[in-house]
Amino acid sequence: MMEMIMRYDEIDTQTAQCSVWFPWQQQEGPVAMAKDPLAEAGCYFDELNKLQVLEPDVSQKTSELKEECKEFVDKIGQFQKIVGGLIELVDELAKEAETEKMKAIGARNLLKSVAKQREAQQQQLQALIAEKKMQLESLPLMFGFKSEQQSCLSQGYRIEYEALSRVESEQNEFINQFILQK
């Protein structure tokens, strides 16, 4: 279909003829300088010969902007999905960190209680050693033992003292190994 635009300013009122202008034609003279009354009114024809209120270049820029906005919205949607996944990952890591933190606090509390138990046991053993030493010193005087008999009793207590010292060192070694494992 050929596009033709009728110019009302070119109508010859005496002969009742009007001129037809095709867009690809070059017009010369005063007719070419005449302004389109529809354009002056802000109305334009698009490529489908539909009447448009917007200028063709504004309409084209509007369409381009609409496409760019659609692409932007799509990219924002993708960004939100990525950020959502990242937030979920960080939440999971935070939960795992909190779990490990609670385990570490429990292990630290257990270690403190073991250390306190060890100190209490060490104090008990030292008190027992002091008591046995006093008993050892007072026995020969009480029973009137001679020096040979006193040395036998001292040797017995010395053996007991050494056994208690070994138990103490074994317990200290166990506690140190436990600390190193945690």
Side-chain angles (χ1 to χ4, degrees):
M1 171 182 205
M2 290 184 144
E3 179 180 328
M4 64 182 178
I5 300 173
M6 295 185 68
R7 302 247 181 196
Y8 296 105
D9 55 347
E10 298 177 21
I11 296 176
D12 184 7
T13 54
Q14 292 178 352
T15 60
Q17 294 180 348
C18 64
S19 63
V20 177
W21 175 72
F22 295 96
W24 58 86
Q25 292 178 332
Q26 298 249 344
Q27 294 185 355
E28 297 177 7
V31 175
M33 298 196 116
K35 297 196 176 184
D36 187 11
L38 288 177
E40 286 179 3
C43 296
Y44 304 92
F45 288 100
D46 64 2
E47 63 274 354
L48 300 174
N49 289 328
K50 290 184 178 180
L51 188 61
Q52 297 287 327
V53 177
L54 289 176
E55 292 182 28
D57 61 333
V58 173
S59 177
Q60 180 183 359
K61 288 180 182 177
T62 303
S63 297
E64 290 173 1
L65 181 61
K66 181 180 176 182
E67 287 298 317
E68 287 178 14
C69 288
K70 182 181 177 193
E71 290 174 10
F72 179 75
V73 168
D74 291 343
K75 287 180 181 179
I76 290 294
Q78 290 174 352
F79 178 74
Q80 286 178 336
K81 287 180 184 177
I82 291 169
V83 169
L86 182 62
I87 289 172
E88 287 178 12
L89 179 64
V90 169
D91 286 343
E92 289 176 19
L93 290 174
K95 287 178 184 176
E96 289 179 19
E98 190 65 28
T99 302
E100 291 299 319
K101 179 181 171 184
M102 295 307 283
K103 286 180 183 178
I105 289 171
R108 183 180 64 195
N109 290 342
L110 178 64
L111 183 61
K112 284 180 181 179
S113 68
V114 167
K116 286 180 182 178
Q117 287 175 354
R118 186 193 75 170
E119 287 176 13
Q121 189 176 19
Q122 186 176 11
Q123 288 175 354
Q124 287 175 349
L125 291 174
Q126 286 175 348
L128 183 62
I129 289 171
E131 183 183 331
K132 294 293 181 176
K133 278 185 180 180
M134 287 181 15
Q135 287 176 358
L136 176 64
E137 290 173 359
S138 65
L139 277 178
L141 297 174
M142 250 203 255
F143 296 109
F145 287 126
K146 297 181 182 174
S147 62
E148 290 177 13
Q149 293 170 338
Q150 184 179 356
S151 67
C152 286
L153 285 174
S154 297
Q155 189 176 14
Y157 285 119
R158 204 173 292 125
I159 292 171
E160 187 176 348
Y161 172 75
E162 289 172 2
L164 290 174
S165 296
R166 272 187 269 130
V167 168
E168 179 185 13
S169 66
E170 288 172 2
Q171 288 178 352
N172 286 335
E173 184 179 326
F174 172 76
I175 290 171
N176 290 335
Q177 287 177 354
F178 183 76
I179 291 171
L180 293 176
Q181 288 178 355
K182 295 291 176 178

